[in-house]
Amino acid sequence: MRKPGQRHRAVPLRAQVRRRKRRASAHQRRQGVALIIALTAIAILSVLLAEMHEHTSTAHAVSVAQKERLQAEYMAKSALNLNRMLIAQTDNITTVARPLYRALLGRDPPRLPVWELSNEILAPFCRPFEAGSFSNIEGMDNLPGECEIQSFAENSKININDPLFLDGDLARRSIAMQVFATIGGYQAPSPYDPLFERRDGDGQFTSRLDVVSAMIDWWDSDTERTSFDPGASTVSSIGREDDVYLGLDDPYSIKNAPFDSLGELRLVRGISDDFWATFIEPDPSNPRSRSFTIYGSGSVNVNEAPPSVLLARVCSFITDQPLCSDPLESAKFVTLLEQVRVMIPIPLFSGPDFLTFLQGQGSEQELYPMLRSFLGEDHPLLFTPIELTSEQRREIQDSLVADARIIWVRSIGKAGCRPNAEDPEGPKDCRTTVELNSVINVDPRWNPPPPNAGRVPTLGVFHYYRME
């Protein structure tokens, strides 16, 4: 502060300029620091926001996937339970269809295979958008997903496991005859001969009889090797059954208990990749293509078994007739029956009439005389009828059934479905799919294993249940 009487001292212009510059420079430095702090804060907040967004998006995606997985799982379970209820009504449905069947074929129908049409019959509950007016029913207009059903009779295959209703040598003989016939043992030459003329993966030759014995020895309870005589159709025991397995580079013992899964066959001697692709799973995506099963009772379903399986079952009892020994006659039978099933997609046989068909007998309403009249006496598809003794007829008849009691079911649940952009009217695109495979036994002859007691429930019992 200037004192009284003191004169004002002028500040040189140059000093004033320097002073202003220093003040401006300090102000600019303060502004630069604030900008850096702001940019740093923005960067940190951006990272935190990005991390939070990623975490939230991941959590949302996981929750949506879990929700859709649960929805698809219960759609598959619902489809399975609906199918079990439908199968339980088979007798009632057959009764309703009896007059129409009798008018067409002149005889009572067998149990109709309603399980073959499960996917179509149950469509209103699985895909109501395809069912027209059903989509307007309360509770059916907002399903969380879709479902599909595939099912067929397991007794339409050759059973290689311990039969449910046969024991001892009778069971071993039945399996041996069926398997030997299935792999071409009664044909000379057989189209399957190359499978048994080269070394397997262990460097050993495995004949047809070795394969037959190995399959039976895996599940029978003794430790003796099974010997099958195809000429006399008898079985006996010789030597130790696990000598071959103990001599492998990675030795193991035979199970001596029934098969628990089809994949267990991979452990059996002679089941090579070629054998598997020929008989076990020719088409892994289509279970119907299998020739073998481990869930059979020992009897074969004449209405659902592939013609080749029926031929193998019949030829396990008669080996000296052209139908079984001549590959050309066998091919005629297989082709003819396949064509007939395409033209007449209903159960053709009620039981004994299948043997009448094989023998080329019966009235004009029976299948073989009707085909002979329609095609002509010398048509190349007509196979040579067989001749049966009363004993052979009884044995074959006891080995065949006209309906299914053990049924394989694949139920598929889908969720997160959206219309197809390229084809809005076609199948929907679904993000989540759950597949449930099961085998259901509804045979009234089945009893629980000891010490349990009771009878098979109306909806059946599960032999197999697996969710994929």
Side-chain angles (χ1 to χ4, degrees):
M1 184 175 180
R2 193 172 61 222
K3 297 180 180 179
Q6 185 180 2
R7 295 181 61 185
H8 177 74
R9 187 179 178 180
V11 180
L13 180 61
R14 185 176 299 174
Q16 294 180 7
V17 172
R18 285 199 298 270
R19 188 180 300 169
R20 292 192 184 99
K21 285 184 179 181
R22 284 197 299 271
R23 292 174 180 173
S25 178
H27 180 67
Q28 289 176 352
R29 284 199 298 273
R30 288 196 296 270
Q31 287 183 333
V33 171
L35 179 61
I36 292 174
I37 294 174
L39 291 177
T40 303
I42 292 174
I44 294 173
L45 290 175
S46 298
V47 172
L48 291 175
L49 181 62
E51 184 178 356
M52 184 182 300
H53 180 269
E54 181 180 359
H55 177 76
T56 304
S57 300
T58 302
H60 179 264
V62 170
S63 64
V64 170
Q66 290 176 339
K67 182 191 73 172
E68 292 181 352
R69 168 79 185 187
L70 190 62
Q71 290 174 337
E73 177 181 334
Y74 276 89
M75 288 298 294
K77 289 181 177 179
S78 297
L80 173 61
N81 290 329
L82 287 169
N83 197 31
R84 295 172 67 192
M85 294 175 62
L86 178 64
I87 294 171
Q89 297 301 317
T90 299
D91 291 334
N92 295 332
I93 297 173
T94 302
T95 301
V96 173
R98 180 174 289 116
L100 179 60
Y101 191 95
R102 185 180 296 167
L104 289 174
L105 298 180
R107 61 175 184 270
D108 288 339
R111 294 178 79 243
L112 297 179
V114 296
W115 47 86
E116 292 278 351
L117 302 175
S118 296
N119 199 47
E120 290 75 20
I121 296 174
L122 300 175
F125 304 98
C126 284
R127 301 176 302 281
F129 60 90
E130 296 180 2
S133 59
F134 281 96
S135 59
N136 298 324
I137 297 178
E138 183 178 354
M140 300 296 294
D141 56 347
N142 193 27
L143 289 180
E146 304 174 8
C147 55
E148 296 179 6
I149 306 170
Q150 303 172 14
S151 54
F152 64 85
E154 272 293 322
N155 63 348
S156 63
K157 315 297 180 186
I158 296 294
N159 178 49
I160 59 171
N161 209 358
D162 188 6
L164 289 177
F165 307 122
L166 295 176
D167 297 307
D169 284 347
L170 184 61
R172 295 198 299 164
R173 174 176 173 268
S174 174
I175 300 302
M177 293 165 63
Q178 293 181 76
V179 174
F180 191 73
T182 303
I183 60 181
Y186 294 112
Q187 294 180 344
S190 167
Y192 305 123
D193 286 342
L195 287 174
F196 307 97
E197 294 174 350
R198 53 178 178 266
R199 296 182 184 273
D200 57 24
D202 298 314
Q204 301 177 352
F205 287 101
T206 306
S207 67
R208 285 186 174 87
L209 292 178
D210 291 332
V211 172
V212 171
S213 299
M215 285 185 178
I216 296 173
D217 288 335
W218 189 265
W219 56 258
D220 68 5
S221 57
D222 61 41
T223 58
E224 297 295 317
R225 184 174 184 270
T226 298
S227 176
F228 172 59
D229 182 357
S233 297
T234 58
V235 292
S236 57
S237 299
I238 54 171
R240 289 180 53 83
E241 63 186 12
D242 57 357
D243 286 344
V244 174
Y245 300 93
L246 296 178
L248 299 176
D249 294 336
D250 187 11
Y252 57 94
S253 298
I254 286 182
K255 184 178 181 182
N256 285 331
F259 289 97
D260 290 320
S261 69
L262 202 61
E264 199 174 324
L265 268 170
R266 289 284 193 178
L267 300 174
V268 176
R269 176 189 179 186
I271 309 300
S272 62
D273 290 340
D274 291 336
F275 188 98
W276 187 275
T278 302
F279 299 109
I280 310 301
E281 279 189 327
D283 182 1
S285 63
N286 179 19
R288 291 177 182 271
S289 65
R290 289 190 279 110
S291 296
F292 292 150
T293 180
I294 63 169
Y295 302 109
S297 60
S299 301
V300 175
N301 187 337
V302 294
N303 287 314
E304 295 190 57
S308 58
V309 172
L310 285 175
L311 182 65
R313 191 62 183 116
V314 171
C315 290
S316 66
F317 296 97
I318 53 172
T319 61
D320 56 349
Q321 307 222 14
L323 184 64
C324 300
S325 60
D326 186 349
L328 180 59
E329 290 295 319
S330 301
K332 288 181 180 180
F333 171 82
V334 171
T335 303
L336 179 64
L337 193 53
E338 286 177 345
Q339 294 300 321
V340 169
R341 285 179 172 176
V342 171
M343 294 185 297
I344 312 176
I346 59 175
L348 298 173
F349 306 108
S350 299
D353 50 348
F354 177 69
L355 296 185
T356 303
F357 168 68
L358 291 176
Q359 292 178 286
Q361 300 173 353
S363 64
E364 292 301 320
Q365 286 186 318
E366 298 292 341
L367 186 57
Y368 194 93
M370 184 171 58
L371 291 173
R372 185 169 51 199
S373 174
F374 179 74
L375 298 174
E377 293 283 346
D378 299 324
H379 195 277
L381 278 183
L382 290 176
F383 60 89
T384 303
I386 64 175
E387 297 179 0
L388 297 175
T389 64
S390 57
E391 179 66 18
Q392 288 174 329
R393 186 179 180 87
R394 183 190 63 78
E395 286 186 326
I396 297 177
Q397 185 60 47
D398 290 343
S399 70
L400 302 174
V401 292
D403 63 344
R405 298 295 187 178
I406 300 178
I407 302 171
W408 180 92
V409 180
R410 171 181 288 169
S411 54
I412 302 173
K414 300 179 180 180
C417 300
R418 300 289 185 274
N420 192 319
E422 298 180 356
D423 184 13
E425 301 298 327
K428 293 185 177 181
D429 292 328
C430 300
R431 290 192 298 264
T432 306
T433 300
V434 171
E435 183 178 302
L436 180 58
N437 294 314
S438 60
V439 177
I440 305 171
N441 183 0
V442 293
D443 197 317
R445 297 177 296 170
W446 180 85
N447 292 314
N452 302 304
R455 54 180 298 180
V456 63
T458 304
L459 298 181
V461 295
F462 286 108
H463 279 328
Y464 179 80
Y465 186 98
R466 180 180 175 86
M467 185 168 293
E468 306 293 344

